[in-house]
Amino acid sequence: MFPADIISTVEFNHTGELLATGDKGGRVVIFQREPEVLTHLHSILGEYNVYSTFQSHEPEFDYLKSLEIEEKINKIRWLPQQNAAHFLLSTNDKTIKLWKVSERDKRPEGYNLKDEEGRIKDISTVTSLQVPVLKPMDLMVEVTPRRVFANAHTYHINSISVNSDYETYMSADDLRINLWHLDITDRSFNIVDIKPANMEDLTEVITAAEFHPHHCNLFVYSSSKGTLRLCDMREAALCDKHSKLFEEPEDPSARSFFSEIISSVSDVKFSHSGRYLLTRDYLTAKVWDLNMESKPLETYQVHDYLRSKLCSLYENDCIFDKFECAWNGSDSVIMTGAYNNFFRMFDRNTKRDVTLEASRESSKPRAVLKPRRVCAAGGKRRKDDISVDSLDFTKKILHTAWHPNENIIAIAATNNLYIFQDKLNSEMH
């Protein structure tokens, strides 16, 4: 396995027909869902096959700061489709790019001033005029860069989010959030700046940011202190003063050396309805109600059996892993990753939860996803239980995505992408 092949982001488009992945080598791979096949007995869901692959970012070097800028794709966000072409934003640590993905299945033939090879003819040899015609050709997917948004971030970009007005988007780094217009590349507006005058006074950094799905003036950002801040751009040009602060009071009896590290929020997602926020920290996933700031509405233990292992996870740096989280289309189930190629699902209505494994066996067409169970150290083990001591911490599922309307999920397990279709209903009920 080459480090460049490790998947670093996964994202469905707004219809779920396309799925994009970015990797550490700066490449973007787009998968397209094949049409559904109807048989006399039942319909067979279309599979996702490679549609296009392109190099989005190259490694660069900042000579002023003597700093290498790696090509790794940090985030991909699709723009809603407005014509036959698709558009997506991709970003590495410093530069955001807007890409156009379009199809071509015809080519013009019969030029007057060019020959078949495309070479310019000698005008003296042209004795008659003809009308060029469009001839069918094999389908070709063209990916072209339309905009490059650069030089606006001093620190590493961790999030991009397209606004519901479909004209603007924001990009967030450790200390600042910028607002861009999709047509303007040489100017952005700084809407959040938490950089202190003296960097020695720095106590927290921005870890993720997202626009509200329906209200173009609202956005949320999370911090390494475990807080969420909801901001309203109607209140001020610089949103340093938040409208709402979501924070869970700390239990003093549970405080330890690792408390601050494990409370850092690694991802925040608005529900499709816009009413709730889903966050992920190291050990838990939490659902917050926008109308209740004092505590989360729901708290789900993702891998509580790791509490006794925090010391060794700190030593091998796993405690700093940034897990993402996702909602299903109806906001009734949430999903997030864990170690050993496991991922977790929590049904908000039935309060059931399940641990599933992303593997080659489970991704076969007729394979059934079997629930897995991890046994805490010293606990009673049942058949097929996995001991917490035998978990593989190099196999981690950090990036997941859920189809906007259907029970289809995409799981990035290191350099493998697993797509599970219609295997989830039976697991959650």
Side-chain angles (χ1 to χ4, degrees), residues 141-174:
V141 180
E142 291 183 319
V143 182
T144 48
R146 297 307 297 266
R147 308 264 189 281
V148 177
F149 306 89
N151 307 318
H153 284 277
T154 309
Y155 307 98
H156 291 178
I157 298 170
N158 55 47
S159 304
I160 50 175
S161 179
V162 180
N163 201 346
S164 58
D165 63 9
Y166 306 147
E167 286 189 350
T168 56
Y169 76 92
M170 69 176 171
S171 54
D173 66 24
D174 296 336

Side-chain angles (χ1 to χ4, degrees), residues 356-394:
L356 301 168
E357 183 178 10
S359 65
R360 290 188 190 278
E361 288 69 40
S362 60
S363 62
K364 287 173 183 168
R366 286 187 181 79
V368 178
L369 278 171
K370 285 199 200 106
R372 308 304 303 264
R373 191 169 168 273
V374 178
C375 173
K380 275 182 78 174
R381 277 184 70 178
R382 288 186 287 189
K383 187 174 175 274
D384 294 335
D385 277 7
I386 292 150
S387 163
V388 68
D389 295 317
S390 57
L391 293 176
D392 187 344
F393 293 104
T394 62

